[in-house]
Amino acid sequence: QKEVEQDPGPLSVPEGAIVSLNCTYSNSAFQYFMWYRQYSRKGPELLMYTYSSGNKEDGRFTAQVDKSSKYISLFIRDSQPSDSATYLCAPHMNAGNMLTFGGGTRLMVKP
Amino acid sequence: EAGVAQSPRYKIIEKRQSVAFWCNPISGHATLYWYQQILGQGPKLLIQFQNNGVVDDSQLPKDRFSAERLKGVDSTLKIQPAKLEDSAVYLCASRGGAGELFFGEGSRLTVL
């Protein structure tokens, strides 16, 4: 079993749709949960992160962590074509640790 | 604030040749990482530096890959000799105070 797993997609949705991106992990010691967005031919950029369980909202984006089931979600409301990218989840134990990335989910939002 | 700089952006070589990639992290960032990203996969850590010391190089194929950060600022990753399976994007990242990583645009290597 991989330490961090994501459905590779691609996930294709119409503009304005609500998108749900998911990630599972195996290491119960993970405490920080980051989501990175990677546009084609660019490096990943941090989208948002949460600490421990619960929800965090930032504009159209909501990150949700369920540590009991080792399940992480990223929701995008009112999706836009500019949201078309690969979304990488990266849980880790503490701020000093290296990140372990999932394989990423490719999202395509069609106008 | 300037971001993480990497060069070259693209490199094409033949197998068994050597190649070097350069990275200049964000000013003041002590921790620097090199990741390998194969097409369709997530980034995989190769090596982590704290200042000029190696923190983790457990996933670096040391028979052909080497990396250094001699003065604790910029870093070089070298591959010698290259294999076909080394074709990937090599990403450099530096770490901010809250643990977030800032990535460069990557160096895309094609080995023929």
Side-chain angles (χ1 to χ4, degrees):
Chain A
Q1 181 189 14
K2 290 183 180 178
E3 197 166 25
V4 184
E5 295 201 65
Q6 293 181 257
D7 185 328
L11 178 62
S12 181
V13 301
E15 182 176 355
I18 296 174
V19 176
S20 172
L21 302 168
N22 305 304
C23 177
T24 59
Y25 63 94
S26 58
N27 190 340
S28 57
F30 288 146
Q31 295 283 349
Y32 295 82
F33 304 91
M34 296 188 168
W35 283 96
Y36 282 78
R37 178 175 59 195
Q38 186 174 25
Y39 290 113
S40 181
R41 298 187 178 272
K42 297 289 186 181
E45 57 178 346
L46 180 65
L47 190 59
M48 58 191 305
Y49 73 93
T50 56
Y51 172 72
S52 195
S53 285
N55 292 359
K56 183 175 182 180
E57 188 173 320
D58 184 0
R60 297 184 295 110
F61 298 88
T62 299
Q64 190 173 78
V65 177
D66 181 348
K67 290 187 68 181
S68 63
S69 58
K70 300 189 183 71
Y71 196 84
I72 313 165
S73 299
L74 178 71
F75 299 97
I76 307 174
R77 292 185 300 280
D78 188 25
S79 56
Q80 302 294 309
S82 58
D83 296 328
S84 297
T86 295
Y87 290 81
L88 300 155
C89 69
H92 64 296
M93 283 180 275
N94 61 54
N97 274 134
M98 61 92 170
L99 299 185
T100 300
F101 286 89
T105 299
R106 185 176 163 214
L107 172 67
M108 296 187 297
V109 181
K110 297 188 175 181
Chain B
E1 179 182 73
V4 176
Q6 289 190 248
S7 67
R9 286 294 315 278
Y10 304 93
K11 189 74 176 179
I12 300 173
I13 62 173
E14 295 191 349
K15 60 183 180 184
R16 291 188 289 274
Q17 287 187 322
S18 62
V19 63
F21 302 114
W22 174 84
C23 171
N24 193 348
I26 292 173
S27 177
H29 284 189
T31 306
L32 182 149
Y33 306 82
W34 283 101
Y35 280 85
Q36 179 194 58
Q37 187 173 26
I38 292 171
L39 186 65
Q41 298 182 20
K44 172 190 149 188
L45 179 72
L46 292 175
I47 190 167
Q48 176 184 349
F49 289 97
Q50 178 75 17
N51 295 309
N52 61 349
V54 175
V55 174
D56 185 346
D57 64 355
S58 57
Q59 297 188 76
L60 186 73
K62 298 181 186 64
D63 57 335
R64 297 183 300 104
F65 286 65
S66 64
E68 59 184 16
R69 194 184 183 200
L70 293 175
K71 296 182 179 179
V73 180
D74 56 350
S75 176
T76 302
L77 175 71
K78 296 179 181 177
I79 307 174
Q80 181 180 15
K83 291 186 175 181
L84 296 176
E85 58 261 36
D86 298 333
S87 294
V89 176
Y90 292 86
L91 294 162
C92 179
S94 63
R95 195 177 75 213
E100 71 276 31
L101 264 58
F102 296 88
F103 284 87
E105 295 206 319
S107 294
R108 183 177 297 269
L109 173 66
T110 301
V111 182
L112 302 176

